[in-house]
Amino acid sequence: MSDTTPRVGAVRRRRLAVALAAGVVALAIGAAPATARTGSWRAVVPEGLSEAVLYDISSAEGATWTAGIDVTDWSPLALRWNGSGWTRTPQPVEHGRFDDIAAGAGGEAWAVGSQGGGDGGDAPIVERWDGGAWQLEDVPLPAGARGGFHAVAVSPQGTVWAGGGLFNDGTDGLQSPLLMTRSSDGTWRSVEIPAEAAVGSTINVLPLADDDVWLLGVKGVAHFDGTAWTRQRLPSQLDDTTFYLYDIEEREQGELWAVGLAQDDELWRRPVVLRLDRGRWKEVPTPKETAELRGITFDDHKRPMIVGETVDPAVDPDSNYTLTLDDGGRLVRGERPPGAGHLIGADTDETGRIWTSGTVDHPEKPGSYLPYAAVRD
C-alpha cells in the first residue's frame, strides 16, 4: 500500500496501481433473467460511531462482518450483524485499521490490516475471531517489518491467504510483496512467487481452491494451479493505460470478474470491468462517465452488483455509484442504496442478500466521514 492513512477523496482503502491490458470486445456475457429478483436496498448504518470508514464486508454461514477504522481514536473496527443491528467487538490492539475481513467456516472470521500510528510506521497484523473474541495471530514477519496486509480470504479447504506489502528501506517508499498462508494446523508460511510470475504487492486474493488461487497485484494478475504461479497474459489494447483493480470474484466456474478504474484524460477516472472467460481476459464495456469501482459480488441469479464511487455530481451528488446488468446484458447504473456515499465493499450471503459498506461525507465536518452499510433483500 502506498500509504497507511485512511482517506476517501482523501479516504482510500487500496491506492495500489495495477497496470492491466484488456481488449475491448462485444459483451457476450448473457443477459440476466427478466424475472430475476432484484430486491430493494435498505440502509443498516452502525450506531454509536461519530467518524469511521468501513472498508470491507463479508458473509459466510449466517455471519456477516464489516471492518475498517474508527477515526476518532484511530482504532481497528470490526462489527458483526446480530440480525437487527451491528455489534462492535473488542480489539486486542489499541491503534490501527482493518483493510479487509473474511467470514469463515465454523464461526471463525479473519481480519487484516496494520497497527500503529500511520506515517509508514505501521506493522502488519492478522487477527482471528475464534467465536468469542479476536486473537492476534503470530505471523512470522521480518523484524521491524513496516507496511500492512490489504487482503484476506479463506479457501474451501480452510487455508487462509493474507496479502499486502512491506515498505522497503529505500527512498522511493515502494513496497515489497507480502503473501502468507495459514494451514489448518495453524502454521503460517511465506509464499514466494518466482520473478517471471511476480505481480508486486498484493491488492486482493481469491482462493477458489488450494490449487486455484488468483492474485491481484500492483503489476498485474497471477494464478496458482497448486504447483506453479503464472502471470496472466492480458490483451494489449490498453497496455499504455494505468489501471487500478480492487476486487475479483467468480461468477461461474471458469468465469472471473475484476473491477477497478482506469486513468482517463477526459473523465479523469473511468470505471473498468475485466472478465476472464474460457481462459481469456476481456474488457466489459461500462458507462462513459467518471467513477471508480471498489467491489463486486453476484446475486443468486448470477447478476453482478458492482459498487464504487464518483466525484462527478452530475453522476451522483453524494458520490454513490453502482453498476449491474440490464435485461439486454449491458452494464448500467443500478439502484442507489438510500443515503449512500462512497461504497467500498460488497458481498452476498447464503440467502442471496447483497451487502455493501463504505462511508459518507460528514454533513457538518468537511473532511470527516460517517460509516455506512446497506443490504439488498
Side-chain angles (χ1 to χ4, degrees):
M1 183 178 262
S2 54
D3 64 2
T4 54
T5 56
R7 57 191 198 94
V8 170
V11 177
R12 297 283 185 252
R13 175 175 60 158
R14 298 167 179 150
R15 204 185 62 193
L16 297 171
V18 181
L20 297 179
V24 178
V25 296
L27 184 59
I29 57 181
T35 58
R37 174 179 60 83
T38 58
S40 296
W41 287 104
R42 58 186 173 94
V44 287
V45 178
E47 298 180 354
L49 294 170
S50 57
E51 292 185 55
V53 182
L54 301 177
Y55 289 122
D56 193 41
I57 198 161
S58 177
S59 292
E61 296 191 357
T64 298
W65 289 87
T66 186
I69 184 170
D70 184 337
V71 182
T72 59
D73 59 1
W74 222 252
S75 62
L77 185 62
L79 308 174
R80 186 175 185 180
W81 182 251
N82 61 24
S84 60
W86 297 99
T87 299
R88 184 170 184 172
T89 51
Q91 288 299 311
V93 298
E94 183 176 2
H95 299 295
R97 57 183 274 176
F98 288 138
D99 281 0
D100 205 13
I101 192 165
E108 280 189 339
W110 298 87
V112 301
S114 56
Q115 66 173 325
D119 298 326
D122 293 351
I125 57 170
V126 178
E127 291 187 20
R128 171 180 170 265
W129 174 261
D130 63 8
W134 286 102
Q135 307 292 338
L136 192 62
E137 287 282 298
D138 184 13
V139 181
L141 295 171
R146 297 179 298 114
F149 285 105
H150 311 315
V152 64
V154 185
S155 76
Q157 292 78 24
T159 302
V160 180
W161 290 77
L166 299 176
F167 288 105
N168 61 35
D169 293 327
T171 59
D172 54 15
L174 297 178
Q175 291 180 308
S176 303
L178 174 60
L179 185 61
M180 308 285 295
T181 62
R182 180 187 187 273
S183 57
S184 57
D185 65 3
T187 301
W188 283 96
R189 295 179 176 86
S190 177
V191 178
E192 299 296 331
I193 300 178
E196 63 273 14
V199 292
S201 299
T202 302
I203 299 173
N204 215 330
V205 60
L206 177 64
L208 300 175
D210 285 346
D211 58 357
D212 188 8
V213 182
W214 294 87
L215 189 68
L216 300 184
V218 296
K219 297 179 181 178
V221 181
H223 178 250
F224 180 63
D225 64 5
T227 301
W229 286 93
T230 304
R231 184 168 178 169
Q232 293 293 282
R233 175 174 293 184
L234 302 170
S236 60
Q237 183 165 343
L238 300 179
D239 274 347
D240 295 329
T241 302
T242 300
F243 283 75
Y244 298 71
L245 284 187
Y246 298 109
D247 202 7
I248 181 171
E249 287 293 338
E250 183 182 44
R251 188 191 195 198
E252 295 178 319
Q253 186 173 5
E255 181 184 346
L256 301 179
W257 291 47
V259 301
L261 65 93
Q263 294 181 350
D264 186 275
D265 291 339
E266 178 184 355
L267 299 173
W268 182 54
R269 292 179 173 180
R270 67 173 179 84
V272 166
V273 177
L274 299 180
R275 174 175 171 257
L276 177 71
D277 186 30
R278 292 187 289 273
R280 294 184 58 202
W281 284 99
K282 306 170 185 178
E283 187 177 4
V284 180
T286 59
K288 189 179 180 181
E289 52 196 10
T290 299
E292 53 190 82
L293 307 176
R294 294 281 168 172
I296 182 172
T297 190
F298 295 91
D299 66 17
D300 48 4
H301 293 278
K302 303 300 181 183
R303 186 196 299 260
M305 174 54 64
I306 304 170
V307 303
E309 57 185 320
T310 178
V311 296
D312 185 350
V315 177
D316 189 277
D318 297 317
S319 302
N320 171 256
Y321 196 79
T322 66
L323 291 178
T324 191
L325 290 178
D326 66 11
D327 289 337
R330 296 175 297 271
L331 282 175
V332 296
R333 263 190 267 167
E335 179 186 355
R336 180 183 185 274
H342 313 267
L343 298 179
I344 306 173
D347 201 9
T348 303
D349 67 20
E350 294 173 312
T351 68
R353 294 184 300 179
I354 293 178
W355 297 80
T356 186
S357 65
T359 190
V360 179
D361 294 336
H362 199 298
E364 299 175 355
K365 298 180 180 179
S368 298
Y369 306 95
L370 300 173
Y372 181 82
V375 61
R376 197 185 75 180
D377 296 309

